[in-house]
Every structure is written in C-alpha cells, then in structure tokens.
DNA sequence: GCCTATCGTGATG
DNA sequence: CATCACGATAGGC
C-alpha cells in the first residue's frame, strides 16, 4: 500500500480545483462510494443513499470539482474489500490530513485483520500516550474506511466504542474479519 | 490569533 | 450513571 500524504496547506496549493472521480460499489457490508484524485484513492465511505455519500465527499473536499467515473485506483481499492484478496501492495492512497491525523492513520495499518486495538494503545504507538481523546478524533476522521482499519479500534474497557458509519456496522465488520482469520 | 464547542476516550466516585 | 481532564480541530469572531 502506497500512501501519498498531504497537509491541508499543501493540498490547497497542489489540488485546488482538481477533478475528483467517484463511483459506487457493493461490498459485504453495504454500498460504498469510492473517490480518487490523480494520486490515489482519497475517500471511501459507506452510503446507503448515494446522494448522502456524495455530499460527504464534497464537504470533505470543498475546493474540488467532481465527476462520476471509475479508474484503476478505485478498482484496486475495491478488490481489497473482496474476500480472499491480499494484494495490498498495489493500492495507492491519497490522504489529506494534519500530521497528527496521518500518524494515527498509519499506526492503524499495523493492526492485523481479525484483531483489535484500543484508543490508548494507538496513542502510545504514536508517542503521545496522553492524547487518547485526540486519537479518537483522528480515527473518526479517517477518509478511507476499511482500507485503513479504523473499525479495529475499541475502548480500553472492552466496549465497542463508536463508529462514524454506525456502531452496528462496526461490530458486523469485526465479526466477519474474525471469522476470516479462523478459516486461514 | 484567541475563545469555544466538539469529539469514535478514560479514570474516578 | 455523572463528571472531569485530556489533546487536537474547526469555526466564529
């Protein structure tokens, strides 16, 4: 997995007005919208109603214009969501976020499928053991759900915690991943 | 820049 | 269950 990182400042300079392509697809856990810039996938989120997904995309990238259509980046990302595929290397991500957020998101990538971590563990991993609350915030702003496994983070007391796309969906995904690992 | 509200938290009583 | 401190962000001014 290749990650193209960009802060808000950089993004404004480099990607102002650039067209972002988006398309919709079905996954095991619901309909998703996937979007990509010239550099890679920049957004992936669940959307039971297509319009709401599109609205969320637009609000995250207010300075861009949009056009419906699929491309290689999107296809590669989507193939990761299908069972049995492990070709994680060929996927390109284009992430816009603060340096803190980027650190958190990269830390999430080290959480293997089928296991979970906690907000405080992530905080320690990135060297700010006290910044638990902030970690929760950053995790919740993950623009590419599933690709960056933000759903594998739970509360340290064992409760599932929240999920941007619905707590029940989070449980559902975790359950499915747990079973996948058993099979292997 | 400062002030404030807002979190996908965690610890305490 | 109520409350508080925590760190980072976004938005209003």
């Amino acid at each position: 997995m290749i990650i193209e990182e960009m802060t808000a400042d950089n993004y404004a300079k480099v990607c102002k007005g650039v067209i972002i392509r988006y398309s919709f697809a079905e996954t095991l856990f619901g309909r998703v919208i996937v979007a990509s810039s010239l550099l890679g996938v920049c957004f992936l989120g669940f959307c039971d109603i297509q319009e709401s997904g599109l609205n969320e995309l637009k609000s995250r990238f207010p300075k861009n214009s949009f056009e419906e259509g699929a491309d290689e980046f999107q296809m590669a990302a989507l193939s990761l969501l299908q069972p049995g595929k492990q070709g994680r290397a060929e996927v390109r991500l284009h992430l816009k976020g603060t340096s803190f957020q980027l650190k958190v998101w990269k830390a999430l990538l080290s959480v293997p499928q089928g296991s979970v971590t906690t907000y405080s563990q992530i905080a320690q991993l990135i060297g700010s053991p006290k910044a638990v609350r902030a970690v929760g915030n950053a995790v919740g702003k993950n623009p590419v759900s599933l690709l960056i496994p933000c759903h594998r983070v739970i509360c340290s007391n064992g409760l599932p915690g929240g999920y941007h796309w619905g707590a029940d969906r989070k449980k559902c995904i975790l359950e499915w991943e747990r079973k996948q690992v058993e099979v292997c």
Side-chain angles (χ1 to χ4, degrees):
Chain A
M1 171 132 39
I2 304 166
I3 301 182
E4 196 70 43
E5 306 174 19
M6 219 167 259
T7 62
D9 285 349
N10 262 335
Y11 191 89
K13 282 179 201 157
V14 179
C15 296
K16 188 173 78 175
V18 165
I19 292 181
I20 289 179
R21 284 185 303 281
Y22 65 91
S23 59
F24 300 91
E26 291 294 339
T27 72
L28 287 169
F29 311 108
R31 198 164 188 69
V32 295
I33 179 174
V34 52
S36 55
S37 69
L38 295 177
L39 297 177
V41 171
C42 57
F43 182 71
L44 191 155
F46 293 101
C47 59
D48 296 323
I49 328 170
Q50 294 200 354
E51 191 185 344
S52 68
L54 190 51
N55 283 339
E56 173 146 12
L57 172 65
K58 286 180 177 171
S59 68
R60 289 207 192 215
F61 301 94
K63 301 284 188 188
N64 292 87
S65 44
F66 303 88
E67 168 183 300
E68 184 155 13
D71 65 11
E72 288 296 310
F73 295 136
Q74 298 174 15
M75 305 307 282
L78 289 173
S79 76
L80 273 192
L81 309 184
Q82 307 303 324
K85 300 277 176 111
Q86 295 297 336
R88 183 146 280 217
E90 72 240 26
V91 177
R92 271 188 95 91
L93 261 39
H94 180 195
L95 301 181
K96 180 180 73 160
T98 65
S99 59
F100 182 84
Q101 288 167 339
L102 291 166
K103 262 196 292 188
V104 171
W105 296 337
K106 280 187 291 188
L108 288 181
L109 290 174
S110 67
V111 183
Q113 186 180 50
S115 70
V116 292
T117 185
T118 66
Y119 295 99
S120 48
Q121 278 180 42
I122 295 289
Q124 292 181 24
L125 204 55
I126 64 175
S128 319
K130 294 171 312 232
V132 232
R133 197 74 177 81
V135 166
N137 240 327
V139 170
K141 296 218 172 105
N142 168 31
V144 281
S145 48
L146 298 173
L147 299 179
I148 289 180
C150 58
H151 52 275
R152 291 181 202 148
V153 191
I154 61 175
C155 293
S156 56
N157 59 15
L159 290 176
Y163 192 47
H164 190 66
W165 314 102
D168 49 343
R169 177 135 44 196
K170 180 177 187 172
K171 281 185 289 186
C172 186
I173 298 171
L174 287 173
E175 176 70 10
W176 181 83
E177 288 191 335
R178 201 178 52 71
K179 273 192 254 174
Q180 287 297 300
V181 171
E182 270 180 21
V183 170
C184 299

